[in-house]
Amino acid sequence: MKMLINVPETVVADALRGLAAAHPELTVDVENRVIVRRDAPVAGQVGLVSGGGSGHEPLHGGFVGPGMLSAACPGEVFTSPVPDQMLRAAAAVDSGAGVLFIVKNYTGDVLNFDMAAEMAEDEGIQVAKVLVNDDVAVTDSLYTAGRRGTGATLFVEKIAGAAAAEGMPLERVQAIARQVNESSRSFGIALSACSTPAKGSPTFDLPPGELELGIGIHGEPGRERRAMMTSGEIAEAAVEAVVEDLQPRNPVLVLVNGMGATPLLELYGFNAEVHRVLAQRGVPVARVLVGNYVTSLDMAGASLTLCQVDEELLRLYDAPVKTPGLRWGV
């Protein structure tokens, strides 16, 4: 596999140096692997900290900035960051209003964020947590006990970030984050395997002419393999899986997310099919986001996330945000 890297051992550090060069509004600690908005801590605001393995960009470092995350902790590729990173991030963003840890449901992330929360409390930092577990495809996987955390992470970080920017207290920001997670469901499809820099070849075998329904963002197995389907057929499978689990009663936010190697031409076409199926099912759409946001290195494929919203969640979603990976209203 050809990759635009130097050596696998420095791929994360090299990317962080590049992020720092491109975004001077961020403070990027390459050695300690912490990305912080430069104006942190912001007086009177809850700090939001998230993180996870690298390879899912722009998640999470690309979502650091006003209206979203205060800091992010990148681990090695597909590997959880360590508690020291999370503690350093919490200390950097704590204004005295407390810190919310946003944690995707992967075993390493959960254990390390739990440990970091205990360490932070020992240092006098008030910490609350929210677990993102929106993937309907499988209950347990190679990386999780329970449902995986995937595309809803973006909605949780965006809406909770807006709540924090309004000066809401920690308990309220946490409650809103939990509401967003509980109101969200996701389903992913792989058309090809991803290739990690360390391995230099596909992480699993997906023969030509086949796809995997319900794939995870690390290449974990999904529900089933099928012969290649049309965009419309894939949309019908994804919408059915999500809607039947979510049973939305309110309008929904729609995230049509690319897994890293799918062109926007295909994603917009897939979005058209998703809208067709949602309309057939009578599900009203409030807002739409199409693009690569929660990726899996060079995997071809897409994921669908729906989040049903009330007036408050929609207002917070629409609030200004200014990050490398998401920006509007500013």
Side-chain angles (χ1 to χ4, degrees), residues 158-160 162-163 166 168 176 311-320:
K158 170 64 189 76
I159 293 173
E166 290 187 358
M168 294 187 190
I176 286 172
E311 289 185 3
E312 182 183 36
L313 293 189
L314 185 58
R315 177 182 63 80
L316 292 170
Y317 179 77
D318 284 341

Side-chain angles (χ1 to χ4, degrees), residues 234-259:
I234 295 171
E236 289 166 2
V239 171
E240 178 181 6
V242 171
V243 169
E244 294 206 351
D245 196 289
L246 182 60
Q247 295 292 313
R249 299 173 302 279
N250 296 339
V252 296
L253 308 176
V254 177
L255 171 62
V256 170
N257 172 68
M259 302 304 290

Side-chain angles (χ1 to χ4, degrees), residues 5 48 101 103 112 129 171 193 207 230 233 254 273 292-293:
I5 64 172
L48 266 62
F101 283 169
V103 188
N112 287 344
K129 293 173 288 184
E171 295 78 8
T230 67
E233 291 168 338
V254 177
E273 296 298 334
N292 289 290
Y293 294 100

Side-chain angles (χ1 to χ4, degrees), residues 1 3 5 7-12 54-55 77-78 194-201 203 297-298:
M1 303 294 296
M3 295 183 178
I5 64 172
V7 293
E9 292 76 14
T10 66
V11 66
V12 174
S54 297
V77 173
F78 292 176
C194 59
S195 303
T196 63
K199 191 171 188 290
S201 60
T203 54
L297 292 169
D298 60 342

Side-chain angles (χ1 to χ4, degrees), residues 55-136:
H56 306 304
E57 289 74 19
L59 191 79
H60 293 273
F63 297 146
V64 174
M68 212 160 176
L69 292 178
S70 308
C73 309
E76 291 296 328
V77 173
F78 292 176
T79 302
S80 172
V82 298
D84 284 348
Q85 291 173 260
M86 301 158 187
L87 177 61
R88 190 178 295 270
V93 305
D94 180 35
S95 68
V99 175
L100 179 66
F101 283 169
I102 298 174
V103 188
K104 299 190 305 303
N105 189 31
Y106 294 95
T107 301
D109 291 3
V110 172
L111 293 175
N112 287 344
F113 270 104
D114 283 348
M115 189 178 302
E118 295 176 3
M119 295 162 63
E121 295 281 359
D122 289 343
E123 296 198 5
I125 302 171
Q126 183 183 6
V127 174
K129 293 173 288 184
V130 62
L131 188 68
V132 182
N133 58 350
D134 55 302
D135 183 16
V136 303

Side-chain angles (χ1 to χ4, degrees), residues 32 51 59 64-65 74 95 101 120 145 153 159 213 288-290 296 302:
N32 293 298
L59 191 79
V64 174
S95 68
F101 283 169
T153 311
I159 293 173
L213 293 175
V288 184
L289 195 59
V290 179
S296 184

Side-chain angles (χ1 to χ4, degrees), residues 9 25 31 38 40 58 61 66 74 89 94 104-105 132 139 144 181 220 234 239 251-252 285 295 317 327 329-330:
E9 292 76 14
E25 72 274 17
E31 181 179 358
R38 190 169 289 279
D94 180 35
K104 299 190 305 303
N105 189 31
V132 182
T139 301
T144 63
N181 176 65
E220 310 99 302
I234 295 171
V239 171
V252 296
V285 174
T295 61
Y317 179 77
R327 180 175 303 211
V330 292

